[in-house]
Structures are given as C-alpha cells and as structure tokens.
Amino acid sequence: MNGQTSHQQPKDGRHDDDAALTEFLASLMDYTPTIPDELVEHYLAKSGFQCPDARLTRLVAVATQKFIADVATDALQQCKARPAVIKDKRDKQQKYGVNVKHQEYFADTPSAGLDPASRDE
Amino acid sequence: MALLGEDGRGYELARKLESQGIWRSWLGDALYSSFIPFLSSPAAWDSFMLPDDSKSRPQISLELRARALLFDKASVSLFAQPTALSKLNPNYLELHGDDVYFTLENGGQDVDQRHPGVAASSTTSSKGRSKASSIGSRFSEPDVDAVSQRLRLEELPETWYNQFFEKYRATKSYTLMFGDRDSEKRTPEQMSTYLSLIENHKRRRVAFVDNISSLRSNPVMVDGSPADDAPLFPETMSIFNCVPDSAVLITRRLENNQKVPFNGVLDNLPQTMTKSPVMSPIMIERLGIRPEYLSMEQGQGWGKNGSQGSRKLLSQEQASRISQKVVVRLLHNVGFESSSDTSLEVIAQLLSSHINKLGRTLKLLADSYRKQCSATELLKMFLQTAGYSNFRTLVELMKDNSKSVAPQTQQQGLSIQGQNLPQQQQPSVQQSQQMLRQMNPQMQQMNNPQYLAFQQQQQQWERMRRRQQHQQQLHQQQQLQQQQQQSTPRPGMNMNMSIDKDRPLVQVKMEAPSDFPLDTNTFTSMNPRQPQLRQQQLAAISSFHAQANNNAFRPMNSLQIPQIHSPTMSMARAPPVKVEGFQELMGGDSSAKHDSEENKLLSPRK
C-alpha cells in the first residue's frame, strides 16, 4: 500500500507539472512579448526549426527577452558601479599629486592647433 | 466494363468478334465448331458464360478461353471513356501477335525443348497502352506451362499466341536477329524511323475511332514497302534503336497533388479548456465562440497557418532593424537612458544568436526524441536546456512587464519614435524625450484604460494649477478694489462677480500666439510689473513653439503653456490664461468642477 501511494505521488506531481506547463503556455497568448512573433519566427526558421504553434514562438520570445534583460541588468549595474570606483580612484590619486584626467584632445602632430606663424618658427 | 454490356457477359462483343471471324482463329477449328452454337442467342450465350458445377472440364476450359479474348478486347474501356461498341476499331478487334512480348533468352537455340516464352511482361513497354490492355489476357510464363500441360491432357490446342510465335520463329526476321548483331548500331536516323513506326502502329491499333476511313488514309511503310498491319517487334526489328515515346516517363496512376499535412511532434501541444466563466465549454459548444488560441484543427490556426504563409516574412535587413528596435525597448525597460550604436548592434546580434540557439535546441530535441517523448516532455527538456526548468521566472517576467507596460507604453512609443530619426539627431531626440516625459503625451493610446487613470491625474493637477491662478486673480482684484473703493462688504461675492465678468477677457487662444499682445487684459495696465513678465512669457512660449514644431510634436503646443506658467505664477501674479483646446483634449467635463473650484475661497498654499 505504501509503495502504491509513493508511486502515485510522483505521478501526481508530474501531472501537476504538466498542467502548470499547459497553463503557462495558454497564458502566453494573453501576453505580448517585446520581441515580435515575426522576428522570432525569422530567426527560428534560420536555425531550421519551424512550428505553426504560436505558443512555442512566444515561449522562445519570452525566454530570449529574459536572457537579454538579465544581460542588460548586469550591464547597468556594472555601468553604475564603474564611475563611482573611477571617481574615488581619481580623487585619491590627485591627493598624491597624480593627474589621471583624460586628455581633452589628441593631436596628430606636435604643431597641430598652433598658429601658422608659430608653426613656421 | 462498358463493352461487356450491362450484364457483363459481352454477347454483343462476342457477336462483333464473330463477324470478323476472330473466334475461329482464336479457338481453332476444332473448338470453334462446339463454340459457335452458343452465339446463336443471348440465352445460349448466358448459359455458356454462367459458371456451373455441372459443366465438364473441357467446357470450362473453352469458356475460359472465350472469356480471355472477351476481356482482352473489353479492357480498353477501363482506360478510355465509355463508348459504344459501334465505335470500336475493327483492326483493334483482330488478333495481333505483337500484343505480347516474347523472351529472347536462348533465342539462337532450338527452343522446342522449352516452352516458348509467352510472358506477361512489365508495363514499361514502348508499345503503349494497347500492349498494357492485352496483358490481362496472357498467361504468365509459369501459368502457361501448367495450362499447356493441362491442355495437352484435355486435347485443347495451344493458344493462338503460342501458335503465332511458333510461326514467327520460323520467319526470316527472327532468324536474322541472331545473326550479325555487331553491324547494327544506334543512329539518330534509325531511332527516328523507329518512332515513326511506333506512332503509325499505335494509330492503326487505336481502339475507338470516329471515322474508320481515316485509318486507311496513312499507309505505313516498313522497310520501304507498305506494311499491312504487319506485326511489329521492336525487340527483334530494332534492338539498338528502341527509344521511348518521350523522355519523360508517363505515369499512369493519378498523382495526388494534395498537400499532405505534416505535423511535427511539437505541433500538437496540449490544449487547455479555458476556465473563464465567460467562455465556458458549454458556451463554446452551443454558440461556437472560441478563444483565438483554440482552433478546430489541432496544431493549426494558432494565429497563423503552418505553411500557408499568412504570416509576414522578413528580410535580413528588416530583421536587423526590428532587432535593434526591440533592443532599445528592452534596454529602456531595464533602465538605460541612452546607448551607443555599437552596443545596440552587439546586443541585437546577441538576441538573434540566442534565438538561433534556442531554435537549434528545439530542432535537435524534436528530431532526436520525436518517438520516445511527448510534446510536453520535449518542452520540459527544452526549458531545462535553456535554463528555465522552473518557468516561474518567466511568469514573473511576464507579470512585471505587464505592470510596467501601461505607464511606460507611451514613453516607450516615443522612444521608439525617437529612434526612427537619424542617428545624428540622437542628442536632440534625448532632449525631446526628456521634455516629453514632463509633458502629457496624449496623442497616443487615447482609448487605453490606463490612459483614463492618467487622465484623472492630469485633471487633478489642472485643478491645483487653477487654484493657484484664482488665488492670484483674487489678490489682484483686491488690490484694484482697494484702489477704487474703500469698503469691500463681501469680497467673496464681489470677487466672484468680478471674476465672472472678467473671465471672458482672460481667455486667450493658444493657437495664435501672435494675438497675445492684442488679447492682453485690463490687468496688465494696472500692474506695472506685468508687461515685462508678460513679454518674458511670450518669448518663452514662442521659443517653445519653435522647439515643438521642430520636433514634430505640434499637438503638444497647447499643453506646453501650463508648464511654463507654473514656475512664474507665484511671482508674476499674471492673470490666468485659459487654454481652450486643453479641456477638449482632456475630454472631461471639467467646467463644472471649474465652477465649483471658483466659488470656493481657498487660502493660498504654502
């Protein structure tokens, strides 16, 4: 008896997972991903996969959207953290007389930007 | 077969064959004499053709031999349109030895020891349909041996084809075939001659003709002499120059051009019946109302047709452009305010590569585990491979995006709109974006329910602004009254009346900014500070107009004025400027609220 119940529980769990997945697929039709279906189908067809079911297309779109969003979020965090680190570093170096400011401009030749008269000299 | 009549016994056909003397040739003289009485009447013919257990074996054999010829000649109706017996070509009804193939194996030896190879050959013959129709009447080679043995036992003569072949083997053309074969070569002229021979042969043997005389109008020349329906054996006459009628194989069976629907394993994902109280299964059944994602055909109609191509196809350039737009939107959602071209391109390529990778994964899983796993299991495997075995994260992403879509759609739309401008105008685009974020972008999604909530917010803001305006107006009027009168018994009422009287003077049309100096109200003359401030305001308005026009956001002009007035309101005490178009844009009945606000005396806000 116990064996049967324990055997039934994984089956029930699997059934719940399937139901949850099916519901998730159905909910995809109520949500419009940021990535249009046509674009996703274009790249899926390029990779050799074709499916007439729009739910699968939207699943791929949502997965890709999540991936890009994660990358962008990490990049944004890096971007925000970077100036503060650089500023602190620059201030500390100035304190010790080290100038690490960026060049305002870069010249091709030593005489670039000078007056023609002074250039001749 | 129509030529056998309604009863299928073929009496009329048998009579026609008899009129041409074919039965005697077919059956031989001995059998013909016992056969001919059965052709005297239909009843006799029926008794001859009816299967009966009381019949003797010779009788049955005779019946079978008669049936063989009948069906051989009647089988043409299987391939042709049903036509009357009268239209049958007499030449077609005659017996022709070249209707069958005979093997050339061991042709040089005396084949008396073996039975002649009267074989029912394959359908890939160059003799065309006339040959195919006659195949049914032939015995196959092993059957010929058995039958011939039986015939010998029962004293039936050999079949007509056997007799014919024996005679033909003795002819000169057959013996010459095994002579000097090396001298014969394949030449275009001989191939052409062969084709013309075949064509004429077919024309002579055509089953149904409208005019019999037309057959005799084109005599056939064989070896320089007219051939009077001589047997044509390409396998002996032109061994090296036999060619098919056409280079394209003729397929006799009807081709099924219907597209066979091919469903992949992932095309039939499990469907769910909606749990919505509105769209219950009963309603779907009775009213035929179906949600858009439920279709009659499983795996199809989920927003598009499979191979029918109702979906829009994109080129590479279009795809890259759309990818960049999508990346802009995604970055904006994350919180980026600007981005460079290079990073946009890189992330767009990353997006396309990721979709490609997911597609390859799906394809690999579907091809590899198509038979072992169901669609649901394949999906689970895919999600696990992609790293989303727990698809709750995707659900949360969808929820977050759904919440943030409403207030941001307008700004997103503007940002995408801004992206449509050339890249050189990016700084101005960003500037305009910032300006527009401060303003009320009402030109988009006017019917959005989210917009209504936003509209209510704007109405509240407008009420607050007008409160300030009226407070200033009241203060000005107080000053005026102090100058003109000594007492103000009811400042409230007088103010109200003055407001009501003075209101028309205050109204200014914003679409004609040049009219501002003309529409200046009486208050400007009373307050010496006002003209200067007024000019400043006019200059600001005109400059803002110019900017707005350049950025193609012209409908926003009427909304810009309140923004400019708000910072200067408290110090300038300028008379309130009523924007006519603003109320229409807001679409609300704010006039009643305006009156209610007017009648209230409110203390100035600090």
Side-chain angles (χ1 to χ4, degrees):
Chain A
M1 293 291 292
N2 291 332
Q4 287 178 357
T5 51
S6 63
H7 186 62
Q8 281 176 0
Q9 284 171 1
K11 276 188 181 175
D12 293 338
R14 207 178 301 162
H15 182 72
D16 292 338
D17 289 343
D18 291 351
L21 180 61
T22 310
E23 278 187 28
F24 170 62
L25 289 174
S27 69
L28 282 172
M29 295 309 294
D30 297 329
Y31 170 72
T32 305
T34 307
I35 308 174
D37 291 346
E38 289 83 6
L39 187 68
V40 177
E41 284 164 15
H42 172 83
Y43 286 120
L44 283 178
K46 226 177 166 187
S47 68
F49 179 77
Q50 225 169 6
C51 180
D53 200 332
R55 293 179 296 174
L56 209 55
T57 308
R58 295 215 169 165
L59 176 63
V60 173
V62 168
T64 307
Q65 186 177 334
K66 178 82 172 73
F67 174 74
I68 299 291
D70 290 344
V71 169
T73 305
D74 291 344
L76 183 65
Q77 287 174 359
Q78 291 277 332
C79 185
K80 283 179 180 173
R82 190 167 169 268
V85 170
I86 290 176
K87 186 175 179 298
D88 291 340
K89 193 176 168 185
R90 193 185 301 145
D91 291 343
K92 284 182 182 172
Q93 285 172 343
Q94 275 184 349
K95 187 179 172 185
Y96 292 97
V98 179
N99 182 16
V100 291
K101 277 188 180 176
H102 287 294
Q103 292 282 351
E104 289 181 359
Y105 63 91
F106 291 93
D108 294 333
T109 59
S111 60
L114 294 175
D115 292 336
S118 58
R119 201 183 297 168
D120 291 338
E121 291 174 5
Chain B
M1 286 184 266
L3 291 176
L4 291 178
E6 291 180 359
D7 55 359
R9 305 257 164 79
Y11 177 68
E12 295 298 328
L13 181 61
R15 295 289 301 174
K16 199 167 176 76
L17 287 168
E18 171 59 22
S19 65
Q20 289 185 243
I22 295 174
W23 285 116
R24 185 183 287 276
S25 306
W26 179 252
L27 297 171
D29 293 334
L31 290 177
Y32 177 74
S33 56
S34 59
F35 170 75
I36 194 65
F38 296 112
L39 279 175
S40 58
S41 66
W45 181 255
D46 289 345
S47 65
F48 172 73
M49 292 293 278
L50 269 174
D52 191 0
D53 293 338
S54 61
K55 286 185 183 175
S56 64
R57 194 175 285 274
Q59 285 177 331
I60 293 172
S61 300
L62 178 63
E63 180 193 339
L64 288 174
R65 195 167 279 199
R67 279 177 181 270
L69 181 63
L70 273 177
F71 286 123
D72 185 24
K73 298 304 178 185
S75 61
V76 70
S77 61
L78 293 173
F79 306 102
Q81 295 287 333
T83 320
L85 267 172
S86 57
K87 295 206 174 173
L88 270 176
N89 181 13
N91 196 16
Y92 168 75
L93 290 175
E94 289 178 4
L95 299 175
H96 303 287
D98 52 8
D99 282 345
V100 297
Y101 290 107
F102 53 91
T103 181
L104 298 179
E105 287 180 3
N106 303 321
Q109 302 172 7
D110 189 5
V111 293
D112 286 342
Q113 299 152 3
R114 298 182 44 187
H115 205 77
V118 179
S121 69
S122 64
T123 57
T124 56
S125 73
S126 60
K127 297 196 177 183
R129 268 184 203 171
S130 59
K131 299 300 175 190
S133 64
S134 60
I135 286 172
S137 65
R138 309 287 173 267
F139 297 113
S140 60
E141 191 168 351
D143 291 344
V144 167
D145 294 340
V147 167
S148 63
Q149 287 175 5
R150 283 203 298 270
L151 287 172
R152 283 194 195 121
L153 290 171
E154 294 153 3
E155 297 181 356
L156 276 180
E158 288 188 358
T159 60
W160 182 85
Y161 289 106
N162 291 340
Q163 295 171 22
F164 171 83
F165 182 72
E166 290 296 330
K167 290 175 193 172
Y168 181 75
R169 268 167 27 126
T171 58
K172 188 181 178 183
S173 57
Y174 186 80
T175 53
L176 278 178
M177 179 185 68
F178 298 100
D180 187 11
R181 281 194 195 181
D182 296 334
S183 63
E184 289 196 36
K185 285 183 183 177
R186 196 176 184 85
T187 59
E189 294 80 14
Q190 288 185 11
M191 283 195 279
S192 171
T193 307
Y194 169 78
L195 283 174
S196 60
L197 270 176
I198 287 291
E199 183 60 33
N200 289 327
H201 184 77
K202 282 182 189 173
R203 210 181 302 135
R204 273 187 282 113
R205 300 286 180 88
V206 69
F208 296 103
V209 287
D210 294 328
N211 188 4
I212 295 173
S213 61
S214 64
L215 291 171
R216 295 175 185 162
S217 61
N218 300 321
V220 178
M221 307 296 288
V222 175
D223 297 335
S225 59
D228 230 357
D229 200 16
L232 181 66
F233 292 107
E235 58 268 28
T236 59
M237 293 173 181
S238 36
I239 298 173
F240 299 98
N241 294 294
C242 294
V243 290
D245 294 340
S246 70
V248 180
L249 288 175
I250 300 169
T251 52
R252 296 218 173 90
R253 60 184 175 85
L254 292 173
E255 287 182 3
N256 189 8
N257 290 327
Q258 294 174 3
K259 288 185 182 178
V260 177
F262 175 74
N263 288 327
V265 63
L266 289 172
D267 293 353
N268 297 325
L269 289 173
Q271 296 183 19
T272 54
M273 295 303 289
T274 176
K275 294 179 184 175
S276 164
V278 178
M279 301 296 294
S280 64
I282 297 173
M283 280 190 70
I284 291 171
E285 185 183 341
R286 287 185 181 174
L287 304 177
I289 303 168
R290 282 183 166 268
E292 58 175 3
Y293 54 86
L294 286 180
S295 62
M296 296 301 293
E297 299 174 16
Q298 196 173 7
Q300 291 181 3
W302 284 77
K304 62 175 117 14
N305 292 325
S307 61
Q308 298 279 318
S310 66
R311 59 178 181 267
K312 187 180 168 188
L313 296 174
L314 299 175
S315 66
Q316 184 61 32
E317 290 178 3
Q318 286 173 328
S320 61
R321 251 187 284 125
I322 294 174
S323 301
Q324 292 202 352
K325 289 182 185 176
V326 165
V327 165
V328 165
R329 187 167 288 193
L330 287 172
L331 291 178
H332 185 77
N333 286 348
V334 168
F336 278 94
E337 290 183 357
S338 63
S339 171
S340 64
D341 289 347
T342 311
S343 51
L344 277 180
E345 285 176 15
V346 167
I347 299 180
Q349 285 178 8
L350 181 66
L351 182 140
S352 63
S353 302
H354 192 72
I355 298 177
N356 272 336
K357 179 187 161 191
L358 293 179
R360 280 197 301 273
T361 307
L362 275 169
K363 186 174 184 304
L364 180 66
L365 289 172
D367 291 343
S368 307
Y369 302 106
R370 177 173 43 213
K371 294 177 183 175
Q372 295 95 317
C373 302
S374 67
T376 310
E377 287 169 353
L378 285 175
L379 268 183
K380 285 183 187 173
M381 287 164 67
F382 164 68
L383 287 171
Q384 198 166 4
T385 309
Y388 302 113
S389 54
N390 181 16
F391 51 82
R392 313 291 170 192
T393 53
L394 298 178
V395 173
E396 286 172 9
L397 174 78
M398 284 161 55
K399 283 181 186 172
D400 293 341
N401 274 2
S402 302
K403 285 176 193 171
S404 61
V405 134
Q408 285 188 10
T409 42
Q410 297 164 358
Q411 294 181 5
Q412 285 174 8
L414 292 167
S415 66
I416 296 297
Q417 207 171 6
Q419 286 295 325
N420 288 333
L421 297 173
Q423 296 294 330
Q424 298 167 358
Q425 298 184 8
Q426 268 188 356
S428 62
V429 167
Q430 291 173 10
Q431 190 182 2
S432 64
Q433 286 177 12
Q434 289 174 2
M435 284 160 51
L436 288 163
R437 280 199 198 102
Q438 297 170 4
M439 297 173 192
N440 305 324
Q442 294 181 356
M443 58 188 293
Q444 293 183 10
Q445 294 182 4
M446 298 288 287
N447 295 324
N448 195 350
Q450 301 291 341
Y451 171 75
L452 292 174
F454 189 69
Q455 190 180 358
Q456 288 172 3
Q457 289 178 6
Q458 293 303 317
Q459 288 176 358
Q460 287 177 2
W461 176 82
E462 179 61 20
R463 269 184 244 129
M464 286 167 55
R465 187 187 66 77
R466 285 183 181 163
R467 262 182 233 155
Q468 292 179 359
Q469 291 174 2
H470 288 298
Q471 287 166 12
Q472 291 173 3
Q473 193 178 6
L474 285 171
H475 185 73
Q476 290 170 3
Q477 287 176 352
Q478 280 177 2
Q479 287 180 349
L480 179 64
Q481 286 170 1
Q482 282 173 5
Q483 290 176 5
Q484 291 180 354
Q485 298 174 7
Q486 294 297 323
S487 64
T488 58
R490 287 195 179 186
M493 290 231 351
N494 288 337
M495 281 179 209
N496 287 336
M497 289 167 61
S498 62
I499 285 168
D500 289 334
K501 285 177 189 172
D502 294 332
R503 263 191 82 190
L505 299 175
V506 173
Q507 291 181 7
V508 176
K509 290 182 185 178
M510 300 314 300
E511 279 72 20
S514 58
D515 294 334
F516 270 98
L518 302 176
D519 289 337
T520 49
N521 48 24
T522 54
F523 292 150
T524 56
S525 58
M526 294 161 194
N527 193 347
R529 267 189 269 175
Q530 280 185 355
Q532 296 175 3
L533 292 166
R534 193 82 178 155
Q535 286 173 5
Q536 287 176 7
Q537 288 169 10
L538 285 172
I541 290 165
S542 60
S543 67
F544 215 84
H545 270 286
Q547 282 184 0
N549 289 335
N550 288 337
N551 290 329
F553 292 114
R554 199 164 290 188
M556 296 301 167
N557 292 351
S558 59
L559 301 172
Q560 299 167 5
I561 305 303
Q563 293 281 350
I564 297 169
H565 278 282
S566 53
T568 60
M569 204 71 75
S570 56
M571 36 184 291
R573 298 177 190 172
V577 177
K578 182 176 178 180
V579 180
E580 279 187 356
F582 187 73
Q583 287 184 358
E584 293 169 2
L585 281 171
M586 294 299 291
D589 188 15
S590 56
S591 58
K593 292 177 190 173
H594 183 72
D595 292 334
S596 63
E597 293 290 336
E598 260 183 344
N599 293 327
K600 287 182 187 174
L601 277 177
L602 301 170
S603 59
R605 287 208 169 188
K606 294 180 183 175

